[in-house]
């Protein structure tokens, strides 16, 4: 007699199919979880190709935010000098201003106030100029005290192997032209100022006589050029470039 094939009860078949379906669903769910984006919106490191792995970003400073007056400081102007970023920071009106030097090392942030605070001036875009001579680096912050076109300057310098310091002197220009240049060829930038050379009445805006004054980094005079009747006749105008031989006693 031929053998009869045993039949599997229907209830057992249903149980076997249900178990298989649940197993596949569990495997798919595990794969989806491994590929899911992280909470920050990126892809977890294990899911990125090895060539796209990135070092963790540096932490933001934990100290209090730098303030200018009663509010936070905002960047007005900036420059980079030998890899050091120099930032001119101020309040929203430009009246309370600071200069920040990111020097690196143990004390990376070196912050100084400008003389605009005590002299009632305001800084703006274009107020910051920095140059490097063979020995000293220097930055000049200029600011307006009124609407007549005149400007004052605050000088910062970095001697070799030392941090940036503010020079306790102010540099005026009634025509609002202040620049930096190593005129003495001593490796230290001087401050160049264009001023009117009319005596008496104080109406410098109508004056047609001009002189270029050169200040030492300590605020003393290096010398003055000859008086001319047009600014264009000043040495190097508009990028002032007097030589030491062109200077005389002021």
């Amino acid at each position: 007699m031929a053998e009869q094939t045993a039949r599997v009860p229907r209830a057992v078949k249903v149980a076997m199919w249900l178990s298989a379906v649940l197993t596949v669903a569990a495997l798919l769910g595990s794969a989806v979880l491994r590929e899911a984006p992280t909470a920050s919106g990126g892809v977890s490191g294990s899911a990125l190709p090895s060539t796209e792995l990135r070092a963790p970003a540096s932490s933001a400073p934990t100290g209090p935010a730098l303030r200018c007056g009663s509010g936070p400081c905002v960047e007005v102007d900036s420059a980079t000098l030998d890899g050091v970023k120099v930032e001119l920071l101020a309040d929203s009106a430009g009246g309370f201003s600071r200069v920040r030097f990111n020097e690196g090392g143990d004390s990376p942030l070196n912050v100084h106030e400008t003389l605009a605070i005590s002299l009632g001036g305001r800084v703006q875009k274009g107020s910051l100029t920095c140059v490097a001579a063979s020995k000293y680096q220097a930055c000049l912050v200029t600011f307006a005290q009124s609407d007549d076109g005149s400007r004052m300057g605050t000088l910062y310098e970095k001697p070799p192997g030392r941090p940036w310091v503010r020079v306790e002197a102010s540099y005026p220009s009634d025509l609002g032209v202040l620049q930096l240049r190593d005129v003495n060829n001593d490796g230290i930038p001087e401050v160049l100022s264009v001023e009117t050379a009319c005596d008496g009445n104080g109406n410098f805006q109508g004056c047609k006589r001009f002189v270029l004054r050169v200040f030492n980094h300590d605020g003393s005079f290096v010398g003055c050029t000859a008086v001319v009747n047009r600014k264009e006749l000043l040495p190097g105008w508009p990028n002032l470039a007097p030589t030491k031989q062109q200077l005389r006693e002021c």
Side-chain angles (χ1 to χ4, degrees), residues 150-191:
S150 62
R151 297 185 77 81
M152 296 283 287
T154 306
L155 179 65
Y156 303 85
E157 61 183 14
K158 187 183 187 305
R162 295 172 56 192
W164 284 87
V165 296
R166 188 182 80 178
V167 177
E168 298 304 315
S170 57
Y171 304 87
S173 169
D174 58 11
L175 291 177
V177 180
L178 290 162
Q179 298 179 14
L180 290 171
R181 187 178 180 86
D182 181 10
V183 178
N184 280 337
N185 295 318
D186 58 358
I188 304 175
E190 282 81 41
V191 179

Side-chain angles (χ1 to χ4, degrees), residues 17 43 45 61 87 96 103 133 201 227 239:
W17 278 107
V43 179
E87 299 170 281
F96 195 110
E103 300 186 71
N201 60 16
V227 175
N239 300 313

Side-chain angles (χ1 to χ4, degrees), residues 83-103:
V84 173
K85 184 176 182 180
V86 184
E87 299 170 281
L88 176 59
L89 309 170
D91 60 11
S92 58
F96 195 110
S97 51
R98 303 175 184 269
V99 178
R100 179 165 62 188
F101 302 91
N102 190 350
E103 300 186 71

Side-chain angles (χ1 to χ4, degrees), residues 155 167-172 191 214-222:
L155 179 65
V167 177
E168 298 304 315
S170 57
Y171 304 87
V191 179
V214 179
F215 293 92
N216 210 330
H217 62 102
D218 61 3
S220 60
F221 278 123
V222 175

Side-chain angles (χ1 to χ4, degrees), residues 79-250:
T80 301
L81 197 61
D82 288 348
V84 173
K85 184 176 182 180
V86 184
E87 299 170 281
L88 176 59
L89 309 170
D91 60 11
S92 58
F96 195 110
S97 51
R98 303 175 184 269
V99 178
R100 179 165 62 188
F101 302 91
N102 190 350
E103 300 186 71
D106 296 332
S107 301
L109 298 182
N110 186 354
V111 182
H112 299 271
E113 293 181 351
T114 74
L115 291 178
I117 300 172
S118 58
L119 297 178
R122 297 184 183 278
V123 298
Q124 61 193 36
K125 181 71 174 177
S127 288
L128 176 67
T129 304
C130 296
V131 300
S134 60
K135 293 181 181 179
Y136 279 45
Q137 299 173 357
C139 288
L140 184 68
V141 174
T142 66
F143 52 89
Q145 294 175 281
S146 64
D147 297 329
D148 61 6
S150 62
R151 297 185 77 81
M152 296 283 287
T154 306
L155 179 65
Y156 303 85
E157 61 183 14
K158 187 183 187 305
R162 295 172 56 192
W164 284 87
V165 296
R166 188 182 80 178
V167 177
E168 298 304 315
S170 57
Y171 304 87
S173 169
D174 58 11
L175 291 177
V177 180
L178 290 162
Q179 298 179 14
L180 290 171
R181 187 178 180 86
D182 181 10
V183 178
N184 280 337
N185 295 318
D186 58 358
I188 304 175
E190 282 81 41
V191 179
L192 282 56
S193 168
V194 177
E195 297 189 295
T196 56
C198 295
D199 297 326
N201 60 16
N203 182 23
F204 67 88
Q205 291 176 318
C207 180
K208 299 302 180 184
R209 289 166 52 84
F210 308 98
V211 64
L212 171 56
R213 304 183 192 275
V214 179
F215 293 92
N216 210 330
H217 62 102
D218 61 3
S220 60
F221 278 123
V222 175
C224 293
T225 63
V227 175
V228 296
N229 57 14
R230 289 191 299 121
K231 290 180 289 186
E232 292 77 10
L233 297 177
L234 294 171
W237 180 268
N239 300 313
L240 303 171
T243 63
K244 191 173 181 180
Q245 291 71 31
Q246 291 175 303
L247 302 180
R248 58 188 69 182
E249 185 176 350
C250 293

